[in-house]
DNA sequence: CTGAAAGCGCTTACAG
DNA sequence: CTGAAAGCGCTTACAG
């Protein structure tokens, strides 16, 4: 492994000059710059990142907080893969890498003294590694840890959860508007008895999609019936039981907006089991556009999120803060546009 | 941020002693050890990782090579999320983190001089960061890069692709055996005209599953008909067109083993379009057990892979090499057992 | 069991 | 435009 010292000697310049060639090329005379560059290429020289980080106090890594231990088993992020792809390639374009933070008791106990304020050890790792920033993916039980980050002053962007802090922001879909698209579509098909299977009210997407549902109905002059509002938890099973209850109502809905595709799939199964045909007896619209949405029978009409857009937007936001320095303004929260994807479960093909 | 120097001063000991408390606790007298530990906790001291890495020449990070740029668009790893969960938590247990390597032209050109031998810049990053080891996820076009790693002497474990090198190993499913399970199941249901939609022969899983198919037929005394062997590329579309061809044969098969669930789903769609009922007219068995397998109509009978087992096994293998040092033997390739999951597409419920 | 010292490979004011 | 020097925060033989 060539070091900067060797390279400097072979070029007949000082370490400082070599360092400048790579970090402030304009401050070096073209002649020496070229000489150093050529020699560097010849020796296949690569500056050591640990040394750079140690000297500058900041690494070229962004942390990804995604709890894999405390999470409810069987849970899967609806589009983690797309998110990762968007995130990783956008960071790559800036020369940054993504560090998936080890979490959970095991990891933490291997380290020096656990901190009470940081039970899972996230912040710990960030400090040890001098990370440039951090991207937070909610797993439902990280509220305190996320608040810690947001307050820490480190560039920090969360996915689908509102965080507040000096250099903290977040990205979500335009959830209320997306829910509105779904509901207006059902209204346009002639439905008036439209129920919803909402996500948990404490989550941002859950609350906003429900608000969008209410707003769209109100706007159309359709009163919201509280017996038409069922709350699920985004998991399939909750969609199933919510649908069962809705269909058992004295006056069942003719259409259902499920605030998540997993719940919509559960609802579909429940309808099938209840001998209720979709979309003929009850129309169904979901939210997310996960892969299975197109494959279930009937194919699910749903509000598509801009999946890789999450990753790209998150990367753009961290990078803006990282490269802008402390003086740069914190980017405003990002709202990604959604798209209604009409398939078969809403009955648009054969409106009543 | 407390440094080791401050901690040492406050404890009235040397830097060396503090360092030993954390790295070789037994070499320190219990009395001073406790004093240092208590003070460390009080000050919330955390050793800086960059400094450690610089001093020791080895980081506590394992690289994950997963190309997101060169990959065919729309491609998704069948179970990346499970793999990551298994990998991450197993590494965490050893106190290691997972670094997703930035790849692609953009990232690389931001760095000092690109190398001809390492066009995508993987090895580059590994060197710069003194990574402890690396896990390789094939994206179909990384053969040269993988070979580079395997030869480099760095602890290296690949997923589903055989690599060869001094400290290189890999983990796959027992693909031949798994294919055998599928075929024997179909034989047991009375089928004799069993076709296969194989994966690409140049991939390990593709080749092995095909071999398993052949072996199982041979063992049962059923001759292999070459017109019953269609090759796909693991994508859905290829399963679709392969199935079309098989069904158009003068003597079409009564059962098909698709070497991947995506292809099986494509085959299912093709059968439906051809007016061919599954499983009544043709039985179908897949491989992988991806999420949609249970959701298509009819639900897909398939050979399930041990998804998170891949991550765990990969982590175990790197860790064995990393913690064992250069002297430790390179772990043998791992073969994960598969499980036949019987659903509706094979017709086991109503054997002919 | 403990300390003084050298070293890991960089960056960055400070002079010139 | 360039160099000498200090410093980043650790680890690890080497003595004692």
């Amino acid at each position: 492994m060539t070091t900067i010292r060797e390279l400097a000697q072979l070029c007949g310049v000082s370490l400082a000059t070599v360092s400048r060639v790579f970090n402030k090329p304009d401050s070096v005379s073209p002649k020496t710059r070229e000489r150093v560059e050529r020699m560097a290429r010849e020796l296949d020289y690569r500056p050591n990142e640990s040394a750079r980080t140690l000297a500058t106090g900041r690494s070229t890594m962004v942390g990804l907080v995604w709890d894999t231990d405390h999470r409810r088993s069987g849970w899967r992020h609806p589009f983690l893969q797309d998110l990762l792809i968007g995130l990783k390639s956008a960071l790559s374009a800036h020369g940054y890498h993504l560090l998936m933070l080890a979490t959970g008791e095991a990891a933490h106990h291997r380290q020096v003294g656990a901190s009470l304020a940081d039970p899972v050890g996230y912040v710990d790792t960030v400090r040890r590694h001098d990370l440039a920033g951090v991207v937070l993916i909610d797993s439902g039980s990280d509220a305190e840890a996320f608040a810690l980050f947001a307050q820490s002053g480190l560039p920090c962007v969360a996915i689908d959860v509102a965080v507040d802090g000096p250099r903290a922001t977040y990205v979500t879909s335009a959830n209320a508007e997306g829910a509105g698209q779904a509901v207006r579509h059902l209204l346009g098909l002639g439905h008036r008895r439209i129920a919803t299977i909402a996500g948990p009210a404490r989550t941002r997407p859950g609350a906003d999609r429900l608000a969008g549902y209410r707003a769209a109905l109100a706007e159309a002059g359709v009163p919201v019936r509280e017996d038409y509002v069922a709350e699920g938890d985004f998991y399939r099973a909750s969609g199933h039981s919510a649908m069962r209850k809705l269909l058992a109502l004295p006056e069942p809905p003719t259409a259902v907006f499920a605030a998540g595709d997993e719940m919509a799939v559960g609802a579909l199964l429940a309808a099938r089991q209840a001998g209720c045909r979709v979309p003929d007896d009850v129309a169904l619209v979901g939210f997310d556009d996960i892969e299975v949405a197109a494959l279930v029978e009937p194919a699910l009409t749903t509000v598509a999120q801009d999946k890789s857009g999450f990753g790209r937007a998150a990367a753009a936001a961290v990078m803006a803060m990282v490269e802008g320095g402390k003086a740069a303004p914190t980017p405003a929260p990002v709202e990604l546009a959604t798209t209604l994807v009409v398939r078969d479960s809403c009955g648009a093909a054969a409106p009543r």
Side-chain angles (χ1 to χ4, degrees), chain A:
Chain A
M1 294 288 291
T2 325
T3 68
I4 196 174
R5 158 163 283 114
E6 294 166 16
L7 183 54
Q9 272 169 346
L10 285 169
C11 293
V13 296
S14 70
L15 303 188
T17 298
V18 174
S19 178
R20 282 188 203 103
V21 167
F22 299 128
N23 296 302
K24 266 193 169 190
D26 295 335
S27 72
V28 180
S29 83
K31 228 178 127 181
T32 52
R33 193 199 316 152
E34 275 158 31
R35 179 148 40 100
V36 172
E37 281 171 345
R38 197 162 41 71
M39 189 63 88
R41 214 164 307 132
E42 216 160 280
L43 299 181
D44 202 27
Y45 166 73
R46 306 299 155 109
N48 179 288
E49 278 297 327
S50 305
R52 298 195 75 206
T53 300
L54 182 57
T56 62
R58 220 191 51 204
S59 79
T60 54
M61 301 187 291
V62 167
L64 177 68
V65 172
W66 174 52
D67 188 355
T68 47
D69 291 329
H70 291 188
R71 102 166 41 266
R72 189 160 154 174
S73 91
W75 189 91
R76 293 294 174 271
H77 187 98
F79 46 85
L80 182 82
Q81 192 156 168
D82 294 282
L83 199 162
L84 285 182
I85 290 177
L87 189 56
K88 187 160 104 57
S89 31
L91 289 179
S92 293
H94 290 261
Y96 280 71
H97 299 273
L98 195 61
L99 184 67
M100 298 189 63
L101 303 193
T103 53
E105 309 231 335
H108 204 227
H109 286 171
R110 285 225 141 211
Q111 323 268 26
V112 179
S115 148
L116 286 176
D118 181 23
V120 237
Y122 295 131
V123 180
D124 184 30
T125 307
V126 172
R127 271 174 50 189
R128 287 172 192 261
H129 288 271
D130 296 316
L131 297 187
V134 75
V135 172
L136 310 171
I137 298 183
D138 191 27
S139 75
S141 54
D142 297 322
E144 330 81 59
F146 283 14
L148 222 63
F149 274 121
Q151 297 308 327
S152 73
L154 188 82
C156 158
V157 10
I159 304 288
D160 264 344
V161 42
V163 291
D164 189 47
R167 303 179 79 194
T169 189
Y170 57 93
V171 9
T172 54
S173 279
N175 287 304
E177 171 54 21
Q181 291 176 288
V183 172
R184 284 193 299 272
H185 179 69
L186 290 168
L187 286 165
L189 293 172
H191 291 281
R192 286 299 174 269
R193 305 212 315 262
I194 305 176
T196 189
I197 302 176
R202 57 175 174 69
T203 69
R204 183 78 188 211
D208 288 356
R209 290 172 200 170
L210 179 56
Y213 160 84
R214 289 183 190 279
L217 286 183
E219 195 176 288
V222 176
V224 175
R225 300 168 49 155
E226 287 311 317
D227 58 338
Y228 277 6
V229 177
E231 185 174 312
D233 60 5
F234 286 129
Y235 290 81
R236 192 178 301 170
S238 73
H240 187 102
S241 65
M243 187 63 157
R244 244 195 1 215
K245 276 179 216 148
L246 289 173
L247 293 177
L249 248 29
E251 191 177 36
T254 63
V256 172
F257 163 58
D261 279 353
E262 279 292 338
M263 295 195 298
V265 169
L268 202 60
L269 265 29
R272 190 182 294 170
Q273 286 167 15
C276 178
R277 290 164 308 161
V278 176
D280 306 280
D281 299 330
V282 63
L284 185 61
V285 177
F287 203 111
D288 285 343
D289 196 23
I290 62 178
E291 204 199 341
V292 303
L295 285 169
V296 289
E297 258 290 315
L300 197 62
T301 291
T302 189
V303 179
Q305 301 199 62
D306 179 5
K307 303 177 187 58
S308 62
F310 272 87
R312 282 196 305 274
V318 243
M319 283 297 103
M321 294 189 271
V322 166
E323 300 190 331
K326 297 221 176 194
T330 300
V334 178
E335 278 217 341
L336 265 18
T338 57
T339 319
L340 182 71
V341 180
V342 177
R343 296 201 183 93
D344 305 325
S345 68
C346 61
R352 55 189 63 205

